[in-house]
């Protein structure tokens, strides 16, 4: 129903109607109304449920900019990635502990039907949420400077204020047992009040074809959720849901080890970055 509504409103079934401004505006509204209906029909308890509902309600407030059909599709993909990822996080059943560090950093995992095995990192950082938002969103392309697992992140296209298409090149891992991978993803960021959600999933972008010597892997629905620790606004709780299809032939034991270790290393590198690069320097 949702896809049919989107297709009809966007005029994609009627080539001669694609340039009609009214239809594209209707498409924006249709996406928002459908996301809103879904969110209200699936109420969830707690702060995460509030983020899901607020995120969906934002769909009805999308800017009236006349996006192209392809741009509307990317916006839709980003919104759906956020809804799916938050839905996985909100289900507390079935999580199993993969590892726990002395500083409290913890990685959990579970198998989600239709998605596969997903990993969940729980971290408490001695930094305000604004600082993390600055590093993870505003300075996304600088991640390769402090995270050795990432060679490069580039923003290929920005759509409105919330959606971007990115290309990420990852270094080899597990002693080169896992060769270099790259990802083309649509990312959606929503920030309301004291909570911020960064979500994404794999997408197709014609201007970034597969590269020689690099396997094109795919992000499933994934997200990071940031919110201040209750009673301590100078500290931030970070939850990272990781879902990846690395492609190629790899034993599950290697995949699980790599993904779990990637999250632990990310938390360590992020802490070092935040401690060594104050907000005033990061803005330069």
């Amino acid at each position: 129903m949702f896809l049919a509504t989107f297709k009809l409103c966007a005029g994609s079934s009627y080539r001669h109607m694609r340039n009609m401004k009214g239809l594209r505006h209707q498409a924006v509204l249709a996406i928002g109304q459908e996301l809103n209906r879904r969110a209200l029909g699936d109420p969830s308890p707690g702060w995460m449920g509030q983020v899901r509902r607020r995120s969906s309600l934002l769909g009805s407030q999308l800017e009236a900019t006349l996006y192209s059909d392809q741009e509307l599709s990317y916006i839709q993909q980003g919104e759906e990635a956020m809804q799916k990822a938050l839905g996985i996080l909100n289900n507390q059943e079935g999580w199993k502990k993969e590892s726990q560090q002395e500083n409290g950093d913890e990685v959990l995992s579970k198998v989600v039907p239709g998605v596969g095995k997903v990993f969940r990192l729980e971290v408490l950082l001695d930094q305000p949420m604004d600082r993390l938002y600055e590093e993870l969103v505003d300075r996304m392309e600088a991640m390769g400077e402090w995270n050795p697992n990432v060679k490069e992140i580039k923003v290929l296209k920005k759509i409105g204020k919330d959606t971007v298409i990115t290309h990420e090149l990852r270094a080899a891992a597990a002693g080169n047992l896992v060769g270099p991978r790259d990802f083309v993803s649509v990312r959606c960021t929503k920030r309301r009040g004291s909570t911020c959600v960064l979500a994404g999933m794999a997408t197709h972008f014609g201007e970034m074809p597969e590269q020689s010597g690099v396997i094109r892997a795919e992000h499933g629905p994934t997200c990071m959720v940031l919110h201040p620790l209750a009673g301590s606004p100078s500290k931030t709780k970070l939850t990272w849901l990781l879902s990846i299809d690395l492609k190629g032939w790899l034993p599950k034991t290697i995949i699980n080890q790599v993904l779990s270790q990637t999250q632990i290393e990310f938390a360590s590198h992020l802490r070092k970055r935040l401690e060594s690069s104050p907000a005033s320097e990061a803005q330069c």
Side-chain angles (χ1 to χ4, degrees):
M1 177 64 181
F2 186 25
L3 293 177
T5 301
F6 174 78
K7 190 174 183 180
L8 287 173
C9 290
S12 58
S13 294
Y14 302 92
R15 188 174 302 275
H16 65 285
M17 298 175 69
R18 284 187 178 182
N19 294 324
M20 295 181 66
K21 296 181 180 180
L23 283 175
R24 289 184 179 172
H25 179 66
Q26 289 174 28
V28 176
L29 296 178
I31 293 170
Q33 290 169 1
E34 179 64 16
L35 290 171
N36 183 42
R37 182 189 67 77
R38 289 188 179 189
L40 293 177
D42 182 23
S44 304
W47 64 268
M48 196 172 294
Q50 294 176 12
V51 174
R52 291 184 69 195
R53 290 192 293 271
R54 288 186 178 187
S55 171
S56 294
L57 288 170
L58 286 174
S60 62
Q61 301 171 1
L62 287 171
E63 297 174 336
T65 304
L66 299 181
Y67 298 111
S68 69
D69 295 340
Q70 184 61 68
E71 288 171 335
L72 284 171
S73 176
Y74 287 135
I75 291 173
Q76 176 196 1
Q77 291 173 41
E79 292 278 357
E80 289 187 343
M82 182 170 290
Q83 293 301 305
K84 290 178 181 178
L86 289 175
I88 294 172
L89 285 179
N90 193 55
N91 186 342
Q92 299 298 318
E93 297 181 358
W95 292 100
K96 298 180 180 180
K97 186 178 296 186
E98 290 278 339
S99 64
Q100 185 166 12
Q101 307 301 300
E102 293 183 358
N103 61 6
D105 293 356
E106 184 177 50
V107 175
L108 308 171
S109 71
K110 74 173 179 178
V111 176
V112 178
V115 176
K117 191 165 187 177
V118 299
F119 295 82
R120 173 177 183 159
L121 173 70
E122 299 281 358
V123 174
L124 182 61
L125 297 160
D126 292 326
Q127 297 284 341
M129 190 184 76
D130 285 348
R131 180 68 185 89
L132 270 72
Y133 184 92
E134 175 187 65
E135 198 64 56
L136 298 175
V137 180
D138 295 339
R139 304 192 72 245
M140 180 193 309
E141 291 182 306
M143 187 176 294
E145 297 175 4
W146 53 268
N147 186 350
N149 292 322
V150 175
K151 286 190 173 182
E152 182 182 60
I153 293 183
K154 280 188 176 181
V155 174
L156 303 176
K157 185 178 182 64
K158 185 174 177 61
I159 307 169
K161 62 181 181 180
D162 298 328
T163 307
V164 295
I165 309 299
T166 63
H167 176 253
E168 177 180 350
L169 180 60
R170 285 257 167 182
N176 289 323
L177 287 176
V178 180
R181 260 52 174 185
D182 74 342
F183 304 83
V184 174
S185 307
V186 56
R187 303 189 187 210
C188 178
T189 302
K190 301 293 184 184
R191 181 173 180 176
R192 286 298 179 272
S194 61
T195 301
C196 177
V197 182
L198 326 172
M201 66 185 302
T203 193
H204 173 74
F205 190 73
E207 298 176 31
M208 181 53 69
E210 294 188 20
Q211 301 180 8
S212 176
V214 179
I215 295 177
R216 176 65 50 88
E218 295 182 353
H219 283 119
T222 183
C223 75
M224 288 187 184
V225 180
L226 313 174
H227 65 101
L229 183 66
S232 300
S234 63
K235 297 183 178 182
T236 303
K237 177 70 176 296
L238 182 153
T239 300
W240 177 17
L241 177 74
L242 179 62
S243 170
I244 287 183
D245 182 353
L246 290 175
K247 302 296 183 179
W249 184 89
L250 291 169
K252 288 186 178 180
T253 53
I254 297 296
I255 294 175
N256 294 341
Q257 177 186 345
V258 168
L259 297 184
S260 176
Q261 189 62 29
T262 293
Q263 291 192 303
I264 291 296
E265 291 176 356
F266 169 82
S268 175
H269 296 315
L270 178 59
R271 276 197 179 89
K272 292 177 181 178
R273 170 66 172 181
L274 296 173
E275 293 171 357
S276 64
S277 178
S280 57
E281 293 182 15
Q283 290 175 346
C284 297

